[in-house]
């Protein structure tokens, strides 16, 4: 099997590449920022934050959860110098519509190791994750963490909380 | 501490929201597709694939690796009906510039559980991940998986491999 199932996306990519500026953009995010948000199909993360190529890492997973992003955040901070984390959950997220334990039960033993990290409200999820990261030993000192909720109907970000990780030795 | 560190991104978001179409876009991806790609700051995933709101899940992590995306892919397939997976690694990825074991060594015990899943070439990483997903018990039968490499200099996607997960019972 070849490209047939993907021909539509490949055609769209060819259109995109025609307008691609080319050249060498540095891989180090200019805003020293890593964004963590949900995989939701209604969120165009780059556009919603007005990001330009080269400015920020964008990490996305089901719910936009921090635990699932930890591996990526460590690489982002240690290898590529980011010091600001922007956590963005969103309204009407599917991760509030089921229980992780129920899904694990349906899936059986193959899913035993998976914490689906579902939540009740996007505000609480983002706030909890900001606190969790601020206390995590792998997050660098002097990291600033912002928790936000994205409204999928209006496209607006709502600020929930800002937490600064204490400096080392304090 | 309040919004000050994030004021630039919030201002850009307000500009974005002014042009947001509003209304209720269904959360179920219309293309039944989940894209997995790298968090790299040079990749505007939505634009590169010509995605429109409501069409596809976008999962992003360091390297665009499948293992780290498994939790999200399970939710994408089981809760939101996707049946096609598009894996996209890219040229000059930072995940080829260090060894996971070395980073774990620097970080100490707090990083013991983390597989950084670094790789030598983006082609091999995407191909290996396509095979890994096709054989994984949590990936649904009838899933089509495409492996691609994104060229960050030209903006072009290059097809590496397509794998179909066998139907159940075959």
């Amino acid at each position: 099997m070849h490209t047939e199932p993907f021909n539509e996306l490949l055609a769209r990519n060819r259109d995109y590449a025609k307008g691609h500026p080319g050249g060498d953009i540095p891989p180090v995010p200019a805003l020293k920022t890593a964004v963590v948000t949900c995989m939701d199909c209604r969120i165009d993360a780059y556009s919603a934050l007005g990001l330009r190529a080269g400015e920020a890492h964008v990490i996305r997973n089901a719910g936009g959860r921090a635990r699932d992003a930890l591996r990526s955040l460590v690489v982002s901070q240690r290898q590529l110098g980011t010091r600001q984390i922007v956590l963005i959950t969103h309204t009407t997220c599917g991760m509030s519509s089921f229980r992780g334990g129920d899904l694990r039960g349906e899936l059986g033993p193959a899913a035993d190791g998976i914490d689906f990290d579902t939540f009740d409200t996007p505000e609480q999820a983002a706030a909890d994750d900001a606190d969790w990261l601020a206390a995590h030993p792998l997050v660098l000192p002097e990291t600033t963490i912002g928790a936000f909720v994205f409204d999928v109907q209006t496209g607006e970000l709502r600020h929930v909380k800002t937490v600064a990780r204490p400096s080392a030795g304090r």
Side-chain angles (χ1 to χ4, degrees), chain A residues 42-45 47-50 88-91 149-158:
Chain A
R42 295 165 296 181
I43 304 175
D44 176 352
S47 298
L49 293 170
I88 306 174
T89 56
H90 67 95
T91 56
V149 173
F150 179 75
D151 186 319
V152 295
Q153 284 211 316
T154 66
E156 286 169 350
L157 275 183
R158 197 163 57 245

Side-chain angles (χ1 to χ4, degrees), chain A residues 83-170:
Chain A
R83 293 295 180 270
Q84 184 165 283
I85 299 171
V86 176
L87 300 174
I88 306 174
T89 56
H90 67 95
T91 56
T92 65
C93 184
M95 298 303 283
S96 303
S97 68
F98 69 98
R99 296 280 156 191
D102 294 343
L103 181 54
R104 266 201 310 280
E106 285 169 36
L107 297 172
D112 276 354
I114 303 179
D115 180 357
F116 285 104
D117 221 356
T118 53
F119 52 83
D120 289 328
T121 74
E123 289 80 6
Q124 194 64 48
D128 287 350
D129 277 4
D131 291 337
W132 183 79
L133 285 172
H136 199 284
L138 291 178
V139 174
L140 285 170
E142 313 289 359
T143 300
T144 306
I145 305 159
F148 299 86
V149 173
F150 179 75
D151 186 319
V152 295
Q153 284 211 316
T154 66
E156 286 169 350
L157 275 183
R158 197 163 57 245
H159 178 253
V160 175
K161 183 173 195 171
T162 299
V163 190
R165 181 161 169 75
S167 303
R170 237 195 257 165

